[in-house]
Amino acid sequence: NRWGLMNNTKYENLCEHSLMVAMIAHCLVLISNKRFGNSYNPERAALLALFHDSTEIITGDMPTPVKYFNPEIKKAYKEIENTAADRLVSMLPDDFKEDFEEIIKQNGENDSELKPFVKAADKFSALIKCIDEMRMGNDEFAKAKESTENAIHAMNMPECEVFEREFLPSFYLSIDEQD
């Protein structure tokens, strides 16, 4: 389960989170290509997003406030993630290791240009979780919502502005309110 330090009205697991991040990353790259004339690979972004938290299979979900509490903890956690990635890859058959290492560690030839989209999608997934919880009356997510919105805005990505303006409003609606 994610969001372990907070009371949840509905728990979210790693699979649910990764799928949502993949769909949002795909959308953000499509926005970039269609609205801003880029030619990034949306399918690759979705694949990277599917695997972006795969090391949590070993490490568990470290809460963001803990993970980024100070530079030493952030550095140590990055080393833990790298060790977990190595462990995951080591468990694969030899002929698959190279392919999966590139995906899990996100160090493929063009992956650096897609990483900001995956990071933004991860933030939007967190924001949507906050929206869902607050819609259910769980005000414990108010501060997380505010800090996540600030983090998205600080990314200064025009694709995020489009997603926020054109896609995010539907997440504030119930199924019956959507048409």
Side-chain angles (χ1 to χ4, degrees):
N1 286 329
R2 299 177 51 76
W3 300 89
L5 295 179
M6 302 178 76
N7 292 315
N8 290 256
T9 61
K10 181 183 181 289
Y11 289 103
E12 175 186 54
N13 65 43
L14 181 60
C15 292
E16 292 166 324
H17 169 69
S18 296
L19 178 60
M20 177 167 285
V21 174
M23 291 188 291
I24 295 170
H26 188 269
C27 183
L28 289 171
V29 173
L30 286 176
I31 290 168
S32 185
N33 292 346
K34 291 178 179 290
R35 301 282 177 89
F36 301 105
N38 293 308
S39 57
Y40 300 126
N41 184 336
E43 289 79 17
R44 180 69 179 182
L47 179 65
L48 294 174
L50 280 173
F51 284 87
H52 85 283
D53 278 343
S54 60
T55 57
E56 290 182 10
I57 294 166
I58 293 173
T59 66
D61 182 28
M62 174 74 70
T64 298
V66 175
K67 199 183 319 187
Y68 299 110
F69 183 73
N70 65 37
E72 293 83 23
I73 291 175
K74 183 178 177 182
K75 182 181 177 197
Y77 189 72
K78 197 44 105 174
E79 290 175 21
I80 290 168
E81 283 182 323
N82 288 335
T83 301
D86 290 339
R87 172 109 190 276
L88 286 174
V89 171
S90 75
M91 295 162 44
L92 294 166
D94 288 339
D95 55 335
F96 286 84
K97 287 181 180 179
E98 185 178 327
D99 298 295
F100 277 93
E101 180 176 36
E102 184 178 282
I103 296 166
I104 292 169
K105 291 187 174 184
Q106 302 193 8
N107 60 4
E109 186 177 318
N110 297 314
D111 292 348
S112 62
E113 65 191 14
L114 296 173
K115 282 182 182 180
F117 295 101
V118 174
K119 183 72 173 170
D122 193 35
K123 293 291 183 192
F124 273 113
S125 175
L127 179 57
I128 291 164
K129 169 66 173 167
C130 294
I131 291 167
D132 286 346
E133 288 291 331
M134 292 185 68
R135 284 185 57 245
M136 296 297 122
N138 187 355
D139 292 335
E140 188 169 331
F141 279 77
K143 179 71 174 139
K145 180 180 180 285
E146 179 184 333
S147 64
T148 304
E149 287 172 328
N150 290 338
I152 291 168
H153 295 152
M155 296 177 101
N156 293 315
M157 292 176 65
E159 297 87 354
C160 290
E161 294 173 23
V162 172
F163 187 89
E164 187 173 16
R165 183 177 61 247
E166 297 182 27
F167 292 86
L168 194 62
S170 64
F171 290 96
Y172 286 91
L173 304 174
S174 70
I175 287 289
D176 294 334
E177 294 171 312
Q178 297 189 24
D179 39 84

